Amino acid sequence: REDRWLCPSHPDNRRLEIEAMLEVATKYDVDGLHFDYIRYPNARACFCDGCRRRFEEALGSKVRNWPKDVREDPALAARWLDFRREQITRVVAEVSDRGRRAKPALRISAAVFRDWPDTRDERAQDWKLWCERGYLDFVCPMDYIESNSGFERFVRWQREWAGAVPCYP
């Protein structure tokens, strides 16, 4: 249910996530931080008034028919997907940067959906980018799949998407 999720674009919610993770890293004897549920619940979330306001600000113009236009206009939809991904990526980037500055040996990881191209748009979880930019020390794709051949196929792709970052399905 979407009503159980905090709006990912709300600055207070992002700050809460970042500060909670950094508190764990700096106040407790931990070797790393692991992101779970670092994403939107689905493509239908969140279209709250705050998301509209923040998206229009980032866009530099008003969206006349909210949220219909961002769902149906291909150019606007692409900008909307970029906006959503940026909300999640900013949290991962800031935790990675500030966490490592406070504790240089800190390891950062994330549980991610297995199919990066789909989850990048559907859930705004751009974990390939996080690996490329060095935000993660390792990535853990959630490969809940019954088929051995399907599992093997996804792991091959995931290792490519993760690049030099270790991938632990």
Side-chain angles (χ1 to χ4, degrees), residues 9 14 21 27-28 34 70 88 94 126 138 142 160 169:
S9 82
R14 286 196 320 267
M21 292 193 77
K27 290 188 176 182
Y28 301 95
H34 182 73
V70 297
I88 304 301
E94 189 165 340
D126 198 353
F138 60 95
M142 298 180 291
E160 282 182 39

Side-chain angles (χ1 to χ4, degrees), residues 2 4 6 9-10 21 28 41 49-50 52 57 64 79-80 86 89 101-102 107 121 125 133 135-136 147 156 169:
E2 294 173 29
R4 294 184 185 183
L6 296 175
S9 82
H10 195 291
M21 292 193 77
Y28 301 95
D49 291 340
R52 179 182 187 171
E57 185 178 297
R64 184 185 299 183
R79 297 285 301 272
W80 171 245
E86 180 62 23
T89 295
R101 276 192 279 133
R107 307 267 296 165
D121 288 342
Q125 189 180 67
R133 291 189 177 169
Y135 301 152
L136 300 179
S147 159
R156 273 194 310 275

